[in-house]
Amino acid sequence: MRGAKGRGRKIYIALLLTLMYVPIVLVIVYSFNQSRLSSVWSGFTLSWYRELFRDRAIFEALRNSLVLAVISSFSAAVIGTLGAVGMARLKPPPGKIGKAMEYLSILPIMIPEIILGMVMLAFFSLLGLPLGMLTLILAHTCFCIPYIYLLVKARLAGLDKSFAEAARNLGANEWRAFRDITFPLILPAVVSGILLSFAMSFDDVIISVFVTGPHTNTLPIRIYSQMKTGVTPKTNALCTLVFAATVLLCILSTVAARIRVKTPKKEQSK
Amino acid sequence: MKNNGKLRLPPKAALFNAALPMFIFTLAFVLGPMIYMVVLSFMQREGNWGVAANFTLRNYARIGEPVYLATFAQSVRLAFTTTILTGALGYPFGYYMARLKPVWRGRVMLLIIIPFWTSSLMRLYGWIIMFRANGVLDSMLLKLGFASGPLRLLYTYPAVVTGMVYALIPFMIYSVYASAEKLDWALVEAARNLGASRFKAFATVSFPLTMPGLFSGIVLTFIPSMGLFFIADILGGNKVVLVGNVIQEQLMKAHDWPYAAALSVMLMAMTSLFIFLYRRLTRSGDLEGLV
């Protein structure tokens, strides 16, 4: 494990990690590039950022994306957490029915996103729902639920059930046992589920392209159409800012993870 | 999974289970619509927008046309290429990562999480800067004397493959890492002590034990790679057309919904077959390191 072989492994990991960051670094560097067209470096400028902040449409898309990600990750958290707790209590019957129930719980992530987008678009228009924020929220909630469900389920499986049982034996009703014992214990999983859902909703292109209406842009849809029509450094600037926010979120969630190890019941998110 | 210690509920309470909203949601917005999609695929297109409720097999017959068959073939080929490359690059990474010291494991994990959480469009955008004519790669190769002119890599098949592998490799790394982390290294050492070569120890002990991770990585790579139309769109221009692109075009531009539905049903059938084979091969229902 030591010696030359171990070094080779580390070099491999370092190399692949570097490669992962190359495109990101390029975007950041070129967001400060003066030249509009070429990839040649022609001097440092902040003008693309200035131009970005004057773009009202982008801010509207940003606002839409934030509203969408917050509402759908929180709705998914409620539904998915209840789902995991409920399934644990229900003890799905062994055999075909149990398997079908398990499968149904994670169905949205078992099918390709593009099909999810297509079926939802077809269904929403069958129902006559106008495409826009509402359909986006429904669709995003839907694909976020399984992630919350799986994370909470994994956490529940590792929990000592005797706590909740003790509470119930001491006279707590179902709801109190859940609120005072189970919920604080699964909270870390719920929080990381929310963060993951938020990130995925915020980044989703495929499903959003299908279920959004002509008047509702989200940030990814806006960036996508910009990338198709023409490449401008303004998009670089936008991506750089979104990236900065992502890194911040990552660091926050790592910090939150550290805090909750020591004190299980403290507010972690935000 | 141990079932002892779980609370028993009276059957009536079980009926009004907390999981109910989740099932209703999935039934209403996923399973129901999927059934509708299947029905839609047997209907006829009417006028420029509408759908007529006449049973027809025309949509499926149309998939058999050479143009569309070629698209399917190209999608499958791209998905296979992507999956193989992702496995070849990602497996060693996940495997080696599990052998790092815990501190470094955490750091590497964070370093993978950041790009994974970064907007996939931004990361694609970086590849455009890299690949475009006289872009970063071209000028670098030119300076080093490896090329005499622009390579024009953007809007080619290799560009799309790069984008796909890049987008999907974190899934592979996670899956392999999740199963390599659980590996009992004492077994590998025992094999080595008993005289197995490094390669033999890997082939007979480590590899079979980390295979579930590799397989779930393959599923997690293969399935999305059939539908990632925006990567083909952005890095492939109109040179690389996948089933996903055709579905999107039929839905959004041609407004031929029954045909889009038929294509989706075919795609769904293919991915289901793939999952079925996966289950047969690994005899497991769970995907390792799915989240």
Side-chain angles (χ1 to χ4, degrees), chain B residues 15-30:
Chain B
L15 262 182
F16 295 94
N17 192 272
L20 220 54
M22 183 176 75
F23 286 119
I24 293 173
F25 217 85
T26 318
L27 280 171
F29 294 112
V30 186

Side-chain angles (χ1 to χ4, degrees), chain A residues 11-173:
Chain A
I11 290 171
Y12 181 77
I13 289 184
L15 215 68
L16 212 61
L17 278 177
T18 313
L19 221 64
M20 276 187 191
Y21 280 88
V22 165
I24 299 173
V25 172
L26 283 179
V27 171
I28 296 173
V29 168
Y30 280 92
S31 73
F32 298 109
N33 188 9
Q34 231 159 29
S35 159
R36 183 183 184 85
L37 287 169
S38 81
S39 333
V40 182
W41 182 260
S42 49
F44 180 88
T45 179
L46 283 173
S47 61
W48 304 118
Y49 287 88
R50 231 170 285 136
E51 209 173 291
L52 179 70
F53 282 109
R54 278 195 218 109
D55 193 332
R56 289 194 156 267
I58 284 200
F59 276 95
E60 207 195 299
L62 174 69
R63 204 198 58 212
N64 282 341
S65 273
L66 286 174
V67 169
L68 172 63
V70 168
I71 295 181
S72 39
S73 58
F74 275 84
S75 336
V78 173
I79 298 172
T81 306
L82 283 175
V85 173
M87 278 289 270
R89 306 279 269 100
L90 192 60
K91 271 208 278 177
K96 289 244 159 74
I97 299 173
K99 265 202 186 132
M101 285 172 76
E102 263 305 320
Y103 189 73
L104 191 60
S105 319
I106 54 163
L107 185 63
I109 49 175
M110 296 301 283
I111 54 183
E113 261 185 276
I114 184 164
I115 292 181
L116 206 56
M118 136 108 229
V119 298
M120 281 183 178
L121 170 61
F123 195 61
F124 289 147
S125 65
L126 178 75
L127 294 181
L129 278 179
L131 296 176
M133 207 42 159
L134 177 68
T135 49
L136 278 169
I137 289 172
L138 284 173
H140 281 219
T141 304
C142 216
F143 77 72
C144 288
I145 289 173
Y147 291 98
I148 309 252
Y149 169 79
L150 285 171
L151 282 167
V152 174
K153 198 183 107 174
R155 177 91 185 170
L156 276 174
L159 278 189
D160 192 343
K161 269 136 206 141
S162 51
F163 289 139
E165 220 165 310
R168 306 228 312 132
N169 286 343
L170 288 169
N173 64 20

Side-chain angles (χ1 to χ4, degrees), chain A residues 202-224:
Chain A
F202 198 76
D203 185 32
D204 177 72
V205 185
I206 299 183
I207 293 174
S208 302
V209 162
F210 287 121
V211 300
T212 192
H215 307 298
T216 318
N217 264 321
T218 66
L219 210 51
I221 294 178
R222 178 129 198 109
I223 298 176
Y224 179 47

Side-chain angles (χ1 to χ4, degrees), chain B residues 26-81:
Chain B
T26 318
L27 280 171
F29 294 112
V30 186
L31 199 64
M34 278 174 76
I35 295 165
Y36 173 60
M37 175 183 77
V38 176
V39 174
L40 196 62
S41 74
F42 289 108
M43 288 199 206
Q44 225 164 36
R45 181 187 189 185
E46 197 180 57
N48 282 334
W49 282 82
V51 175
N54 303 329
F55 177 85
T56 175
L57 286 171
R58 228 202 75 225
N59 300 311
Y60 286 96
R62 221 175 124 194
I63 296 174
E65 284 172 22
V67 193
Y68 294 113
L69 268 189
T71 310
F72 258 96
Q74 192 170 37
S75 301
V76 173
R77 189 164 69 108
L78 180 69
F80 268 108
T81 315

Side-chain angles (χ1 to χ4, degrees), chain A residues 1 12 16 20-21 23 39 86 89 104 111 114 118-119 123 125 165 203 209-210 220 224 228 231-232 236 243, chain B residues 5 7 9 17 26 28 37 89 93 99 111 115 118-121 125 132 166 233 244 251-252 257 264 268:
Chain A
M1 256 167 283
Y12 181 77
L16 212 61
M20 276 187 191
Y21 280 88
S39 333
R89 306 279 269 100
L104 191 60
I111 54 183
I114 184 164
M118 136 108 229
V119 298
F123 195 61
S125 65
E165 220 165 310
D203 185 32
V209 162
F210 287 121
Y224 179 47
K228 277 171 72 174
V231 179
T232 78
N236 288 355
F243 177 70
Chain B
L7 301 171
L9 272 180
N17 192 272
T26 318
M37 175 183 77
L89 288 169
F93 193 105
R99 306 211 73 170
L111 283 173
T118 306
S119 152
S120 45
L121 287 170
Y125 203 78
R132 69 182 164 207
Y166 180 66
D233 216 17
L251 271 181
M252 319 299 277
W257 288 24
S264 303
M268 193 66 218

